[in-house]
């Protein structure tokens, strides 16, 4: 025996079996009972909410020889023919594939012939918004004055695309998304009939995932049952089958951030990009993961009810619980605000990856942030140092010192050591591979640039053009360069971006001016 998908097998055959659209069902039943049947109906609403199902029941009812309370009897020849798809009186058209003027003309010609048996010819045009403008026009006249034996039922998921001229000629019915309870109850009914052993919690989860669509809910249930064929379907199993988003990668990313492991974060991001993952979605989902972490952290107890609220499998929940122990709630707030801001920015940016990299670096380095909180923290540290006279004068050249003051926060690593000449050399020689760590406009600008060690031990990046110079001098790019150098050498590397004009700065005239400004003699090394 071949397997019939649940949503086909349990497609309602009478109005009483339609769930969640009570207002529509009762209106249509009344029309049938009182014989006040319209000639053009427009059914609007999201997918899987019962539009074509109700259209078909309605088509059966109007032709039924013995309708019961407005519902079709299901026994008479007409009902049987329609159920078998053999009736000439119910014509289903998918406008997605028949959207031209000619398709509509065919219908109009056919409309002229009255039904051979039965009372009404019912034309169900699905996805009617797909019709071309010409096709809509061709349909208009017939919609306005159809023969009395014709009923049009137009169904659409996108009512805003229907011309006003068509809207004004139809009785409009808005199909609601079906509530989770209604869907779950229906699933319960069906699994009982099917003798499938399914945990109530699993049904509820499936109902929720279906997002208002009964058809989706039945397909999802099918999927879960097929995956665990012959077994009792538990909530855990449903989560594993349907929770297709792999949260492992979020957990990895979070742990790297907590460890302030910038290199690890950037490497993981590389993997994510290689997997072809869409970065905007990644950030949205990661923010959601952080939100779960925040909730878990705020719950009084991390017990089973918390697991239910977060809808996670036990394995993922255990991991999240561990992570909740690793960070304090204020840090989570900070992560969430940084990443939600990022997802807004990313929507309009062509440099999604760089933005994400910058953000990862930022969250790993709270001392780099310039928000009031962070600055206040840094001022407090300085004041304390002033009071105690606890100053250490560095023996290293001033220019090579790490400029970043260090806030005594938890999870903050000491600032990187100052770079040595050999580190600058490493950058200058390893430039090409270093350029692979950036993308976007920065990359070509960097590839073209000369780089060498300046007299004061700083790395000089000599941009090839004035435009490149401007680009590399932008604040966010400077931050990115700084981070890349640190990542590359493990040290804090002082650097200056110069333009093509700067190489010629020390001609004799400049030297004289420079000497007079400084009030001392200057020698060029
Ligand atoms: Zn009947």
């Amino acid at each position: 025996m071949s397997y019939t998908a649940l949503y086909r097998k349990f497609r309602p055959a009478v109005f009483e079996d339609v769930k969640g659209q009570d207002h529509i069902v009762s209106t249509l039943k009344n029309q049938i009972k009182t014989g006040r049947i319209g000639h053009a109906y427009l059914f609007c609403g999201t997918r899987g909410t019962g539009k074509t199902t109700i259209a078909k029941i309605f088509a059966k009812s109007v032709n039924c020889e013995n309708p019961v309370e407005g519902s079709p009897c299901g026994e008479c020849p007409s009902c049987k023919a329609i159920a078998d798809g053999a009736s000439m009186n119910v014509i289903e058209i998918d406008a997605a594939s028949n959207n031209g003027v000619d398709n509509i003309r065919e219908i109009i010609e056919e409309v002229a012939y009255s039904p051979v048996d039965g009372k009404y010819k019912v034309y169900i045009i699905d996805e009617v918004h797909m019709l071309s403008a010409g096709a809509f026009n061709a349909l208009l006249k017939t919609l306005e004055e159809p023969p009395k034996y014709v009923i049009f039922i137009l169904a659409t998921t996108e009512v805003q695309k229907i011309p006003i001229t068509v809207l004004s000629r139809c009785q409009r019915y808005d199909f609601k998304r079906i509530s989770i309870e209604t869907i779950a109850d229906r699933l319960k009914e069906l699994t009982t009939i099917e003798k499938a052993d399914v945990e109530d919690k699993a049904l509820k989860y499936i109902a929720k995932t279906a997002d208002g669509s009964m058809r989706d809910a039945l397909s999802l249930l099918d999927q879960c049952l097929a995956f665990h064929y012959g077994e009792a379907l538990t909530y855990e199993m449903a989560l594993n089958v349907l929770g297709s988003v792999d949260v492992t990668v979020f957990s990895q990313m979070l742990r790297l951030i907590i460890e302030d492991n910038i290199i690890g974060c950037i490497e993981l991001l590389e993997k994510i990009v290689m997997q072809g993952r869409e970065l905007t979605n990644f950030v949205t989902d990661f923010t959601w993961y952080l939100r779960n972490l925040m909730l878990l952290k705020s719950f009084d107890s991390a017990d089973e009810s918390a697991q239910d609220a977060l809808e996670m499998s036990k394995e993922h929940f255990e991991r999240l619980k561990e992570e909740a122990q690793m960070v304090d709630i204020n840090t989570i707030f900070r992560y969430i605000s940084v990443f939600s801001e990022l997802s807004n920015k990313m929507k309009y940016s062509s440099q999604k990856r760089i933005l994400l990299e910058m953000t990862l670096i930022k969250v790993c380095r709270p001392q780099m942030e310039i928000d009031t909180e962070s600055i206040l923290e840094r001022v407090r540290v300085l004041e304390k140092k002033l009071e105690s006279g606890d100053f250490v004068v560095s023996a290293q050249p001033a220019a090579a010192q790490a400029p970043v003051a260090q806030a005594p926060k938890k999870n903050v690593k000491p600032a990187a050591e100052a770079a040595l000449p050999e580190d600058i050399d490493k950058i200058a020689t390893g430039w090409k591979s270093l350029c692979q760590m950036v993308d976007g406009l920065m990359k070509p600008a960097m590839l073209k640039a000369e780089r060498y060690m300046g007299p004061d031990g700083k790395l000089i990046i000599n941009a090839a053009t004035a435009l490149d110079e401007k680009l590399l001098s932008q604040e966010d790019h400077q931050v990115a360069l700084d981070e890349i150098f640190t990542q590359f050498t493990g040290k804090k590397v002082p650097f200056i971006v110069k333009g093509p004009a700067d190489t010629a700065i020390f001609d004799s005239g400049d030297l004289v001016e420079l000497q007079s400004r400084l009030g001392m003699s200057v020698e060029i090394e």
Side-chain angles (χ1 to χ4, degrees), residues 441-515:
L441 288 173
M442 265 178 91
K443 193 169 178 175
M446 281 178 69
L447 279 169
K448 278 184 285 168
E450 295 285 334
R451 58 279 164 192
Y452 47 86
M453 185 162 35
D456 51 3
K458 287 188 188 175
L459 172 70
I460 312 283
I461 303 168
N462 207 164
T465 65
L467 200 68
D468 284 356
E469 182 199 1
K470 212 170 162 189
L471 182 99
L472 292 174
S473 305
Q474 279 173 21
E475 204 191 329
D476 49 346
H477 291 157
Q478 293 259 314
V479 173
L481 284 172
D482 191 40
E483 276 311 323
I484 290 161
F485 295 152
T486 306
Q487 207 182 314
F488 200 72
T489 60
K491 308 267 177 69
K492 186 81 196 166
V493 180
F495 65 95
I496 297 174
V497 173
K498 287 187 174 178
D502 294 337
T503 39
I505 194 167
F506 286 119
D507 66 18
S508 52
D510 287 332
L511 192 60
V512 172
E513 198 194 324
L514 190 63
Q515 282 177 342

Side-chain angles (χ1 to χ4, degrees), residues 272-273 275-285 346 352:
I272 293 165
V273 171
Q275 286 164 0
R277 222 170 165 138
E278 215 287 305
L279 291 183
T280 315
N281 288 345
F282 174 79
V283 170
T284 312
D285 293 346
M346 276 174 95
K352 296 181 198 304

Side-chain angles (χ1 to χ4, degrees), residues 387-443:
E387 272 169 24
S388 64
D390 179 20
F391 283 106
V392 180
V393 179
S394 169
Q396 282 167 318
Q401 270 187 22
V404 178
Q406 226 187 290
K409 280 188 184 173
K410 238 171 133 187
N411 292 333
V412 173
K413 281 196 298 197
E417 249 180 272
L420 298 171
E422 49 263 43
D423 296 313
I424 307 280
D425 199 43
K426 188 179 170 195
I427 290 179
T429 50
W431 191 253
K432 275 204 177 139
S433 50
L434 191 135
C435 288
Q436 302 311 315
M437 294 161 76
V438 295
D439 50 16
L441 288 173
M442 265 178 91
K443 193 169 178 175

